[in-house]
Amino acid sequence: GVNYMMKKILYETEAINQDGLNGQSYVKNGLKVAVSNPREKTLGTNPEQLLGLSLCTCMNATLQAIENEQGLKHTSEVRVSVTLIKGSTGLEFLVKARIHIPDVALSTAQKLVNLAKSRCPVSKLLSNSSNYDIEVVKDY
Amino acid sequence: GVNYMMKKILYETEAINQDGLNGQSYVKNGLKVAVSNPREKTLGTNPEQLLGLSLCTCMNATLQAIENEQGLKHTSEVRVSVTLIKGSTGLEFLVKARIHIPDVALSTAQKLVNLAKSRCPVSKLLSNSSNYDIEVVKDY
């Protein structure tokens, strides 16, 4: 349990699923997405894609803020792969963020990414999982 | 680092963000979403909503499978609130899943949810975070 009372709330949203794997998930007065089993040929997104979209957006928004603080042009790009595997605990997701910052040296990119890791809320939520990994890449 | 070679890969997807907080995030040949700062009045989704959608879909798909295994009708519903707060480590997300299963007693619902927690891949990724919480509710 988390003590909400002691914290300063900046934003709150709620996502809802009634249908299960095939149907839709939605935010009230917000995004509504068709969802489907990724292992079948039905149209729709899935938890893997939605998690990847959440993390790549959060991580790159954080990097953009850091670039801005340091007087750098925003050039960072984040790609997040999410892989569904049959692991030791049953079905598991492997989450890997690959980050490219073309405008700076690789060593500088690594420093910016380390800072972003320590700030990005989604990355912090995943940081205690051994299935989560971040890599700085020279190119994709 | 995770050793992919030893695992059976069932599905893989990649999400990309180049724009940062305001612009778009996308999956190649898949979902493309407009993203924006949730604290401004611009249209678009955000990492909070996308994470909530991922978790509510994954958790309810898992519950649906469990209901099915146990010969129960699918009636479960999952609502996930994601709250952006200024916490002890800077910006943080609080993630709370509230689960309602109208067709069964509360004690049975708690058992089904415990099973779902141990199976749902997104829940497993978050399970080591003190900012993640699951509650079985009698109604919303």
Side-chain angles (χ1 to χ4, degrees), chain A residues 27-110:
Chain A
V27 175
K28 265 180 207 159
N29 306 315
L31 183 63
K32 181 178 292 189
V33 290
V35 294
S36 65
N37 187 338
R39 302 176 67 194
E40 289 169 9
K41 280 193 174 149
T42 39
L43 284 177
T45 188
N46 49 57
E48 289 87 338
Q49 291 185 357
L50 291 162
L51 180 65
L53 289 166
S54 176
L55 177 59
C56 75
T57 306
C58 192
M59 183 64 87
N60 209 23
T62 307
L63 277 165
Q64 184 180 32
I66 291 168
E67 287 170 327
N68 189 47
E69 283 167 21
Q70 309 215 352
L72 298 166
K73 201 170 64 167
H74 167 59
T75 63
S76 61
E77 177 174 340
V78 179
R79 299 188 184 187
V80 173
S81 66
V82 179
T83 309
L84 175 66
I85 59 156
K86 187 93 176 178
S88 55
T89 72
L91 294 179
E92 295 177 28
F93 287 178
L94 303 178
V95 179
K96 186 174 179 103
R98 292 185 304 139
I99 300 173
H100 179 49
I101 313 181
D103 244 27
V104 300
L106 205 61
S107 57
T108 305
Q110 187 64 62

Side-chain angles (χ1 to χ4, degrees), chain A residues 25 57 60 83 89 91 124, chain B residues 12 17 25 57 89 91 124:
Chain A
S25 299
T57 306
N60 209 23
T83 309
T89 72
L91 294 179
K124 284 191 252 185
Chain B
E12 187 159 38
N17 177 287
S25 297
T57 306
T89 72
L91 294 179
K124 284 191 250 186

Side-chain angles (χ1 to χ4, degrees), chain B:
Chain B
V2 176
N3 188 347
Y4 287 75
M5 309 302 284
M6 303 295 290
K7 315 270 187 177
K8 188 176 176 206
I9 292 177
L10 303 175
Y11 171 71
E12 187 159 38
T13 188
E14 188 174 59
I16 300 176
N17 177 287
Q18 294 160 326
D19 296 339
L21 192 54
N22 293 287
Q24 63 175 30
S25 297
Y26 62 97
V27 176
K28 264 178 207 160
N29 306 316
L31 183 63
K32 181 179 292 190
V33 290
V35 294
S36 66
N37 186 339
R39 302 177 67 195
E40 290 169 8
K41 280 194 174 148
T42 40
L43 283 177
T45 187
N46 48 58
E48 289 87 338
Q49 292 185 356
L50 292 162
L51 180 65
L53 288 165
S54 176
L55 177 59
C56 75
T57 306
C58 191
M59 182 64 86
N60 209 22
T62 307
L63 277 165
Q64 183 180 35
I66 291 167
E67 287 170 326
N68 188 48
E69 283 167 22
Q70 308 215 353
L72 298 166
K73 201 171 65 167
H74 167 58
T75 64
S76 61
E77 176 174 341
V78 179
R79 299 188 183 187
V80 174
S81 66
V82 180
T83 308
L84 175 65
I85 59 155
K86 187 93 176 180
S88 55
T89 72
L91 294 179
E92 295 176 27
F93 287 178
L94 303 179
V95 180
K96 183 172 182 106
R98 292 184 304 140
I99 301 173
H100 180 48
I101 313 180
D103 244 27
V104 301
L106 206 61
S107 58
T108 305
Q110 187 63 63
K111 281 178 201 157
L112 302 179
V113 168
N114 289 346
L115 203 52
K117 270 170 68 170
S118 73
R119 286 200 204 171
C120 165
V122 177
S123 187
K124 284 191 250 186
L125 279 169
L126 302 177
S127 61
N128 290 319
S129 169
S130 58
N131 282 11
Y132 174 51
D133 207 20
I134 304 179
E135 191 187 355
V136 178
V137 297
K138 261 195 267 199
D139 43 56
Y140 288 116

